[in-house]
Amino acid sequence: MAITDPVTDQRVPLDRDLAERYAREVNALSATDCKHERTELRRGFNKGGGPIVKKQCLDCGLLVGNPVKRTSESDLLPEIDEAQHPAYEATRKGEWDSVRRRYVALQESRWRGSAEGKSYFQRSHADYLASPGWAERRSLVMDRANGLCEGCRKARASEVHHLSYRNWGSEFLFELVALCGDCHDRIHRLDEDRKTGCTDCVHGGEDGEWCHQFEMPTAASLIPGGACGPKRQGFVDADKYG
């Protein structure tokens, strides 16, 4: 998927996971389009300068439906607000442009990270941790813990840790835990001592969560467009190896 940068008017191709996130935001924003549920008859003039009576949406200012026959009472109707719909359209364009600018900036940040030698997962995970979706999940986990570390239940929780990357990007809340700094450091030390990876691949370990060949969570590696991909192009059967 490619989107148009509203600043440069250039087409910018998005990474697959960014494209999926962008599509979800587009659908959510589209759902807020005006449904023209509140209208009233108003009087005005058509493009030819002739008098007209038509329904105008009270929320966005769009003229909807067919013209209504004028009557002796038409002159008592309020005038059509010619400025309302252009103002609404300008506001909506600003909202759409804001979304596009944000995703262009995310994509360009990834390209810069690639040039600096950062892995795909490092770049995409950093973007994800800055996303509204992660902020919502993080808040829910903190609420669940009532602000206390779920490792020691003594210190205040300050960080949210992934117990699993299996559903990275759309985690179940039980795959996330609120921790204090000390417990977070401790669990990372434990993770470093545990072998991880695809259970049947020589590049992996026992729990199938981390790919050592591509240095990213298995779930991120195996998505369409990922480093290994759904066809597991980097797979080496651990049972037959060596």
Side-chain angles (χ1 to χ4, degrees):
M1 174 189 289
I3 62 175
T4 300
D5 184 341
V7 177
T8 65
D9 205 33
Q10 299 296 311
R11 296 286 286 172
V12 177
L14 297 180
D15 289 344
R16 184 178 295 272
D17 65 307
L18 277 187
E20 291 174 350
R21 282 164 52 187
Y22 174 76
R24 288 195 291 270
E25 284 205 41
V26 165
N27 289 336
L29 187 55
S30 295
T32 65
D33 283 341
C34 185
K35 304 300 188 297
H36 317 308
E37 295 175 343
R38 300 190 312 128
T39 63
E40 73 173 8
L41 283 176
R42 293 186 174 182
R43 60 185 173 86
F45 299 92
N46 58 28
K47 293 181 180 180
I52 190 175
V53 174
K54 203 170 184 180
K55 287 183 179 180
Q56 183 171 32
C57 178
L58 298 177
D59 297 310
C60 74
L62 183 70
L63 298 179
V64 297
N66 296 319
V68 176
K69 184 178 180 180
R70 290 180 60 84
T71 68
S72 58
E73 297 181 350
S74 295
D75 289 340
L76 300 177
L77 296 173
E79 292 185 358
I80 292 172
D81 186 343
E82 299 287 353
Q84 185 181 4
H85 190 61
Y88 173 85
E89 291 279 87
T91 298
R92 292 296 285 178
K93 182 180 184 301
E95 293 171 350
W96 282 103
D97 285 351
S98 176
V99 172
R100 294 188 185 100
R101 284 195 302 270
R102 180 153 45 82
Y103 277 88
V104 167
L106 285 171
Q107 185 63 63
E108 290 178 342
S109 174
R110 288 190 178 186
W111 289 337
R112 287 193 298 272
S114 179
E116 295 167 359
K118 295 179 181 177
S119 72
Y120 174 84
F121 178 69
Q122 286 174 319
R123 287 175 275 134
S124 57
H125 190 55
D127 293 341
Y128 173 52
L129 293 183
S131 71
W134 171 252
E136 180 182 12
R137 285 187 181 83
R138 188 182 190 283
S139 177
L140 290 171
V141 172
M142 287 293 194
D143 288 346
R144 180 190 67 201
N146 292 320
L148 283 178
C149 173
E150 294 180 295
C152 64
R153 296 300 291 174
K154 295 179 181 179
R156 300 297 299 174
S158 59
E159 303 162 40
V160 172
H161 173 76
H162 279 80
L163 293 176
S164 170
Y165 285 99
R166 192 175 302 278
N167 294 292
W168 177 73
S170 57
E171 300 90 349
F172 291 105
L173 294 186
F174 59 74
E175 295 176 309
L176 303 169
V177 60
L179 297 174
C180 65
D182 287 343
C183 285
H184 202 181
D185 289 342
R186 180 185 174 196
I187 200 168
H188 273 294
R189 288 195 296 272
L190 292 173
D191 286 344
E192 290 171 0
D193 293 335
R194 185 179 63 187
K195 292 183 179 179
T196 57
C198 288
T199 55
D200 53 353
C201 178
V202 72
H203 300 297
E206 296 179 354
D207 65 4
E209 291 187 11
W210 190 265
C211 175
H212 292 289
Q213 181 183 18
F214 299 113
E215 291 301 321
M216 64 174 64
T218 301
S221 174
L222 297 179
I223 63 173
C228 198
K231 295 184 178 180
R232 306 179 76 185
Q233 60 190 21
F235 173 79
V236 178
D237 193 330
D239 291 335
K240 297 180 180 179
Y241 185 74

